Amino acid sequence: MNIVRCLTLLLACILAKPAAAIPPSLHEVVETKRNVVVKLFGAGVGTLDSYGSGVLISEEGHVATVWNHLVNVGFLTAVLHDGRRYTVDVVGTSLEHDLAVLKLNSDDDEVFPFLDWRTSGKAAPGNAVLSFSNIYRVATGNEPVSVVHGVVAAETVLDAGLGRWEFPVKAPVYIIDAITNNSGSAGGLLAAADGTTLGLMGREIRHRDTDMWVNYAVPWSILKSPISTILEGRTVRTTSSGEEDRKLISDRRLTSEFGFTLLPHVLDKTPAYIDRVVPDSVAATAKLRRGDLVLMVDETVIQSANDLRAALATYRKGQRVSLTVNRDAALQVLQLRVP
Amino acid sequence: MRLHKQSRANRGIYNSRRPNLQSTIAGHCPNVDDNKWSLCRALVTGLLVLLVFNSTPHAAHADESSIVNRQQRRIEVIERISPSVVCVMPPGGQGGGSGVLISADGYAISNYHVTSGSGDFMKCGLNDGKVYDAVIVGIDPTGDVALIKLLGRDDFPFCTPGDSDLVKTGDEVVALGNPFLLASDFTPTVTYGIVSGVRRYQYPAGTILEYTDCIQIDASINPGNSGGPLFDIDGKWIGTNGRASFEKRGRINTGAAYAISVRQILLFIEHLKSGRIVDHGRVEFTVRTSPEGVVEVDEVSQLSDAWRRGMRSGDELLSFGDRALRSANDFKNILGIFPDSVRVPISYRNSDGVQTATVRLLPLHGFDKAPKLPEERRPEPDPKKGEPDDHPDDHEGAHDAPDEPKVPEQYAHLFQQKDGFANYYFNQQHQDRLIGSLEKSLAGNSTRADRTWELSVATTIDGQKRTGQLGVGPQAAWLELSGLRSALQPRSEYTEQNEPQLFRGLLAATLQWHRLFQDRKAFSEITYIGSEHLLPSGRIVRTLTTQDGTIQSRWYFQEGSPLPIGADVQMSVGVDEARLRFEQWKMDGPVPFPARVGIVDNDTETVRWLDVDSLKVGGTQDNKSASVEVKTEVAS
């Protein structure tokens, strides 16, 4: 090897290394990361917001977000940083990760900026972080989402919730020392100051002991496995018990096959009100109407929307079911053929 | 592999530049003896050691010291900017907000929702621990901006404005002010954050306060911060904090607050100095974002500037105020930063291509009186009532004007009540100054309403030199140019058809010019407006309006010159303004006259000029009537 080449190589090595090691500036991180966060708009319920956030995780338009009422109610629209707007389907969910994976209804040839969901980093208390989300839906149309800075305060198991709703993630989550979890934050991105993916921004919930609003994000490291499972088209196995052990008919199936939707499942005992009936569907044939409260399925008393989902799940295709509903303060019995 | 190629490439360059050296090294190295080889190796190693030693530990050291340096710099910046921060309090001393000084003579910017509850006079604390009297100057209720003047000094510390258009998401910022009125010695509280978003739009939300094109920050903004300055990390003033997103957690910071951009405030400052209730503007067309993502003109009023310039429904609006549009929201944002009644350049695309024009904004609200704010926008805390988050909705008392507002006796003359004004005193001051120096230049001519002027003029039209006369008297104005049909405009009844073809509006505007110079008492009202960019030249001018019956004229004065450089005269609704321009006033005649007088062509935004050779003043009423009569014959 001649000396010149040797020297040049050496120099190149020496010069190249520090260049590669320079972390991106805060502005660069902001520029790139806010473009993978989408604004979600759907239906609000009571005091719950009608908007949220999501993180693009594939070129084809898969989006990771929090499995909250927005996802449950459906009819979601996602708006990108450049103003592009799509309807959204739910691909899969995981209760114990409080995770939902959505897919933008885009043309086949469309590509999206995305975050590689397989790579993520780990943060320790004291690390500077940035939270990207659709807080207060301040960003409209083609405006990028808001960015808020903070520091990781702790990584700990969170005992929190809202009302009767219990925070289902039992793994440690990141607690942030800034007010990052506002209306619309859920489903946003938590990144390190150098842009490394850290977590999925959580909901607005309060700590069980102190009643304080907590600012947290679910670490991305624990989301990789459920995301992978959902993207492969499999169901995420849940380890929880009780309510979730029952086999429930999904909202999608209720809409597409039975032809009705229920009031969103917000509380454990959300009553089984019919929210919408699809014209010319099984439900329409049975003369179900919007506003009907389902009280019984055959002899089974129905106390909640999930009772109804569970009850209908026990029937086979083609079976006849009688539904007792309360309509305008009078009981009616309707006959429905299970699709 | 890549490195290998690179090294070859490098050698190539080396070769071409240093042929001699190349031959020496490249030719001898393969055969170097052991001594020479080890010498080379030592050199390389030495170089390596030197580089490694030089870079890595040094870099780490630099990092550490740069953090210390940055911190030290931040401390210095905060020390430097703190003296300009104002604690604004009503005279009773209950509640309060913040502000920032912008000039040594005591002008300070705050929020309208801070001063609206403070009365016409207020008390202001600075970080020197002293309390100063202050008087309201001007207000912009829609933009939530107020201008006050601190009194008693002419060497107040003041801030340096930055360029808020350059602010980027991720920029570091510091907010200074008086959250919860914590500092009894008026040392401002400093909160640090980053810019969370730029060019945000905040809906009026049930109130008149509309934040357009504002800066979203995550620095803590709490009750009492309102009106306080937002600085960039170099200590430049980039915005005024005034609004935050509060929801279920009470009226305390939730990490999303909004600052009015300094660009907007600077566009308003001269208007606010006029003592007026300054309005925002509206246009006489609507836009929407089409499904294809372009900003499309929806409807255009047939009485509007835009219509007369050819804009129609379905055209694509490309820019407004020299800023490119991406959405209807963008348009709302940009429109919101302009004061009413200024002229704004626009561009749009129709089937013939890209068109440019300028449109005059109309008043949005037209306030006669300072509007009352709903309870929810009276935000400042009353320390006597405990922590504000304990009583998030209880702000009564914080803004109750005291029973007998104490007006400091020596300053009482600094306030004058008048409809349409926050404080007419300041308007009067500007009028007196502008009219006073105009008066001086006219040297006693100003009350001779019966005089006629005959200006001998020349111009070149289609390559042909034309000469003639521009005349004006109390009853009419006329223009005759050799070889062209003469035109005569009577004062009593304006007819657009009477205007000369190539100088549309010249005669109507000349009648107003004559009146400004010779018969100002004929104006029912004179008002100082503020400053704007005079189009098409773009020069910054001060504007004075005169009202002559239904005719409103805007007179434009350049700093340092007592005579106007132009006037835009609105004769009636639905008709283009007559846009008169003057160049180089000559003072040697009986009445000053410009070396050139011109009219702006509204379609091309260019000025067509007449060179003025002399101005002859005609004597009596009889002379003038005779001359008008003669001209009438010529005209017909």
Side-chain angles (χ1 to χ4, degrees), chain A residues 156-176:
Chain A
T156 182
V157 173
L158 184 57
D159 180 15
L162 193 68
R164 289 179 58 184
W165 182 83
E166 280 285 340
F167 181 52
V169 180
K170 299 307 170 203
V173 299
Y174 293 126
I175 307 292
I176 306 147

Side-chain angles (χ1 to χ4, degrees), chain B residues 574-585:
Chain B
V575 172
D576 273 329
E577 284 176 351
R579 297 163 68 188
L580 192 65
R581 297 292 179 266
F582 303 117
E583 272 191 1
Q584 291 171 27
W585 286 95

